[in-house]
Amino acid sequence: MKAWVLGDPGELTLVDKPVPRPGAAEVLLRIDATAICATDLEVIGHGPPAVIGGEPPFNRNFTPGHEYMGTIVELGSTVDEFVVGERVAVEIHAGCGRCERCRQGMYTSCLNYGRNYGEFNKGHRANGFTTDGGFAQYAVNHINTLVRVPEHLSDEVATLIVTAGTAMYGLDVLGGLVAGESLVVTGAGPIGLSAVAVGKALGASPVILTDIVDSRLDVGTRVGADVVINASKEPVVEAVRKLTSGVGANLVFECSGAPNAVDEAIHMLKRGGRVCLGAFSNTPSLVDIGHVVTNNIYLYGIRGEGQSAVRRAASLIAQKKLDPSPLHTHTFAFNQLPTAIRYFKEKVDGAIKVVIKPQEFRD
Ligand SMILES: [Zn+2]
Ligand SMILES: [Zn+2]
């Protein structure tokens, strides 16, 4: 099969690799669509959070890519939960299944992250981070990580099921039962826009979205935001407080990663409110901890999409209560990955979710 591999930082090469074989509880997938994510750019450019054989992921014949879907083409020896020909989206993390966190369903916080090699092989996998990922034509995946794709969804849009799962997981830690709660989402990237859509589907009201790009805010309105605020044109904290009778919002889902975003988030909240942090900047944030403590504010961080959040997000999509399709903007052939990455990175032509099709080649 053809697969992209990471050489030196920033260097991707299209090579031939053997098609992997599924283990007992795994299936072999023909990958039909893979989306590009900001974390892929981190991995390709800098390495972490990818770790291969305990080392940085460079020059190790490693294939990145973690947001993909495909068709099952072969079953492992004990698999009777799926059949050949089914279309599935894939959760990124298959924890070790034996540590304290995996046993709690928090497999994205597996205590054996990256320990999947040599004499310490604990069986942990995270596609495109600790094992080969989706910038390839085929991949094996554990059945625990598979969710069926609703029939009405295109391959391209199905890559967004996992993104919706991340939003679902964030709303879980904010309390889960968000119906009637005011929700502010800061940052209209793929996760922020998914948080708007999932929050709306679960009944949050009002859903307020902030960003600095009007075209992204327009997409936010299409996926369910009741109010949008352009943070480059008006002070967001005051705007949110005005929209919430002066007392602040119940919940904030921070998806911008802007250095001042956490401090702004805590000041948007009502006393006793909750913030979920789904993005981060590479510099430490200055936060008014006194405001957090004296106002009984709860701060949560999430990694990925634990506790079967992806399965629940897929159910909302199957019921047509959630439509992630406005987030998909561009599709490229497999050999056009470098162009696809440029479109995503530079937001060319309003790019939000950029997808490649591993079975298609174009001149
Ligand atoms: Zn991602
Ligand atoms: Zn584990």
Side-chain angles (χ1 to χ4, degrees):
M1 68 170 182
K2 294 286 184 196
W4 289 91
V5 296
L6 181 58
D8 288 332
E11 184 193 58
L12 288 170
T13 312
L14 191 57
V15 302
D16 284 304
K17 264 190 180 183
V19 174
R21 300 305 313 278
E26 293 176 335
V27 302
L28 178 66
L29 286 188
R30 181 192 72 214
I31 303 179
D32 296 321
T34 308
I36 296 164
C37 169
T39 316
D40 291 320
L41 306 187
E42 279 296 311
V43 167
I44 293 164
H46 307 106
V51 49
I52 299 296
E55 306 281 341
F58 303 112
N59 297 303
R60 300 184 71 89
N61 202 33
F62 160 65
T63 298
H66 61 272
E67 297 183 1
Y68 60 89
M69 62 74 64
T71 305
I72 296 175
V73 292
E74 190 183 342
L75 305 176
S77 58
T78 66
V79 176
D80 57 8
E81 294 87 346
F82 292 89
V83 297
V84 167
E86 280 189 291
R87 295 165 75 224
V88 289
V90 186
E91 283 194 54
I92 298 145
H93 299 260
C96 70
R98 59 202 277 183
C99 76
E100 181 187 348
R101 290 294 177 240
C102 281
R103 296 284 294 154
Q104 293 171 313
M106 296 173 67
Y107 41 85
T108 61
S109 304
C110 175
L111 301 178
N112 285 312
Y113 186 88
R115 296 182 77 188
N116 58 350
Y117 61 97
E119 58 181 310
F120 302 111
N121 190 347
K122 299 281 191 178
H124 169 273
R125 291 178 54 101
N127 304 325
F129 295 119
T130 68
T131 63
D132 277 343
F135 295 151
Q137 293 190 294
Y138 292 87
V140 291
N141 281 103
H142 195 281
I143 57 156
N144 286 353
T145 63
L146 306 178
V147 293
R148 290 183 175 87
V149 172
E151 214 167 294
H152 70 274
L153 227 57
S154 69
D155 292 348
E156 289 88 335
V157 175
T159 63
L160 285 155
I161 291 175
V162 174
T163 318
T166 302
M168 178 70 80
Y169 191 41
L171 290 165
D172 279 355
V173 303
L174 287 174
L177 203 60
V178 298
E181 302 273 296
S182 46
L183 168 68
V184 181
V185 177
T186 52
I191 293 182
L193 291 167
S194 300
V196 167
V198 177
K200 184 73 176 179
L202 296 177
S205 179
V207 177
I208 301 165
L209 174 67
T210 75
D211 198 87
I212 54 172
V213 180
D214 281 330
S215 60
R216 292 252 170 145
L217 291 170
D218 290 344
V219 177
T221 303
R222 285 172 63 198
V223 296
D226 297 301
V227 187
V228 296
I229 301 168
N230 187 322
S232 69
K233 293 179 184 163
E234 56 181 317
V236 277
V237 173
E238 284 161 45
V240 167
R241 297 194 80 88
K242 204 180 293 173
L243 287 164
T244 51
S245 312
V247 291
N250 293 97
L251 311 168
V252 176
F253 197 153
E254 205 304 279
C255 301
S256 75
N260 59 340
V262 183
D263 197 58
E264 285 187 347
I266 62 168
H267 288 97
M268 287 174 189
L269 279 179
K270 190 179 288 180
R271 302 190 80 191
R274 297 166 185 244
V275 188
C276 174
L277 307 175
F280 58 92
S281 81
N282 286 322
T283 51
S285 298
L286 205 57
V287 179
D288 182 354
I289 296 296
H291 183 83
V292 173
V293 174
T294 57
N295 290 285
N296 206 137
I297 283 166
Y298 301 86
L299 280 174
Y300 301 86
I302 56 155
R303 168 85 194 260
E305 56 292 303
Q307 282 157 344
S308 300
V310 175
R311 188 180 55 75
R312 284 176 284 130
S315 175
L316 284 182
I317 294 169
Q319 296 171 59
K320 300 193 178 174
K321 290 180 176 161
L322 174 61
D323 177 16
S325 58
L327 277 66
H328 167 245
T329 54
H330 292 78
T331 304
F332 288 94
F334 191 47
N335 55 311
Q336 296 172 318
L337 177 63
T339 309
I341 288 176
R342 185 172 62 80
Y343 266 64
F344 176 77
K345 200 176 184 171
E346 297 170 11
K347 302 182 177 71
V348 177
D349 188 19
I352 301 176
K353 256 312 174 202
V354 179
V355 172
I356 58 163
K357 303 271 293 185
Q359 307 303 324
E360 291 176 14
F361 289 77
R362 241 174 270 153
D363 289 333

